[in-house]
Amino acid sequence: WRWWVYGVVGLVALPFMLAIAYIWLPVPATPLMVWRVLQGHGWERQWVALDKLPRAIPQAVIASEDNLFCQHDGIDWHAAQKAYAEWRRGEGLRGASTVSMQVARNVFLWPGQDPLRKGLEVLITLGIEPLWGKKRIMEIYLNIAEWGPGVYGIEAAARHHFGKSARRLTREEIYRLVSILPSPRRWDPTVRSRWGDRQVNRLYRRVAQLQGQMGCVR
């Protein structure tokens, strides 16, 4: 029984120790990355600090993924309550995930969708939000997000799709990369389409509308 207790304590303590370490250290891998490798995909990745990236990149992510990123405590409670009500009505468990929740899920939890994982995601988010802060959360997000089969992080995405460093991306290229985040293994930012053009134009408008509300990532 002593060894069972040690094992349980270790499993509980591990996320806390990792969360503290990731205040300063790059996240070496995520469960999703490992799962993709086991599925036969490659691994393209290169960590880059947030202050080395164009300001347009985190701004585009906020405009596309989480308009209230700089205002909420990690959880968009209104959206979460709405998603929970829909689930109770049998409409399925939809995301309602903020950038902070996506980071919590991808760094610490297993791939998939189930109520247990969603509950843990909320608890972890509330822990890392004050511990890491907005800039660090955005930095980790931009370095672990999936941008294609085996492609992780904005630097690898820029080199894979456009053959250049993320620092040299044009604003339109940034918007095309960010626009595929909901389904990065299905969409290609280099392929012009009516849908892609609409997404880019929407991001131009949305970023302009949110100016003044994205100072937490500067």
Side-chain angles (χ1 to χ4, degrees):
W1 283 108
R2 182 176 60 184
W3 290 110
W4 279 106
V5 171
Y6 289 161
V8 170
V9 171
L11 287 174
V12 171
L14 181 60
F16 292 100
M17 293 187 292
L18 289 176
I20 292 172
Y22 293 157
I23 297 174
W24 306 282
L25 300 177
V27 177
T30 67
L32 178 64
M33 294 177 190
V34 175
W35 179 246
R36 293 285 190 246
V37 169
L38 294 175
Q39 289 179 321
H41 298 297
W43 188 323
E44 297 178 50
R45 187 168 179 240
Q46 183 176 338
W47 188 278
V48 60
L50 181 64
D51 59 8
K52 302 295 184 184
L53 295 170
R55 211 176 270 178
I57 294 176
Q59 289 178 345
V61 169
I62 291 173
S64 175
E65 298 287 297
D66 186 358
N67 291 178
L68 298 177
F69 178 71
C70 290
Q71 284 75 50
H72 60 58
D73 62 357
I75 312 292
D76 183 339
W77 292 106
H78 176 73
Q81 289 170 357
K82 184 178 179 182
Y84 177 71
E86 292 173 355
W87 176 70
R88 288 291 301 272
R89 292 196 300 267
E91 298 178 20
L93 188 65
R94 70 179 182 86
S97 292
T98 63
V99 165
S100 303
M101 292 173 72
Q102 292 180 54
V103 168
R105 177 175 68 239
N106 290 332
V107 172
F108 295 104
L109 300 175
W110 59 92
Q113 279 218 354
D114 56 77
L116 173 61
R117 194 186 73 145
K118 202 66 180 176
L120 291 173
E121 182 182 315
V122 170
L123 292 176
I124 294 171
T125 299
L126 294 175
I128 65 172
E129 180 79 14
L131 185 64
W132 291 352
K134 297 291 186 181
K135 289 184 68 175
R136 181 59 173 170
I137 287 172
M138 180 59 72
E139 182 173 73
I140 291 175
Y141 177 88
L142 290 173
N143 280 284
I144 67 171
E146 187 177 32
W147 253 291
V151 180
Y152 306 100
I154 187 64
E155 183 66 22
R159 295 182 181 277
H160 179 86
H161 292 293
F162 293 107
K164 63 173 77 172
S165 169
R167 286 174 286 186
R168 296 180 53 236
L169 291 171
T170 67
R171 187 173 292 269
E172 180 169 339
E173 288 169 342
I174 290 169
Y175 290 176
R176 291 193 178 280
L177 279 172
V178 170
S179 69
I180 72 167
L181 280 171
S183 189
R185 303 174 70 209
R186 175 184 174 189
W187 298 329
D188 186 337
T190 64
V191 176
R192 298 296 296 266
S193 67
R194 187 175 301 174
W195 177 88
D197 291 341
R198 282 201 304 267
Q199 296 306 307
V200 168
N201 291 333
R202 184 182 68 84
L203 280 176
Y204 271 110
R205 293 193 303 271
R206 198 68 185 133
V207 169
Q209 292 168 353
L210 291 173
Q211 287 298 334
Q213 301 178 49
M214 299 187 287
C216 66
V217 295
R218 293 178 183 169

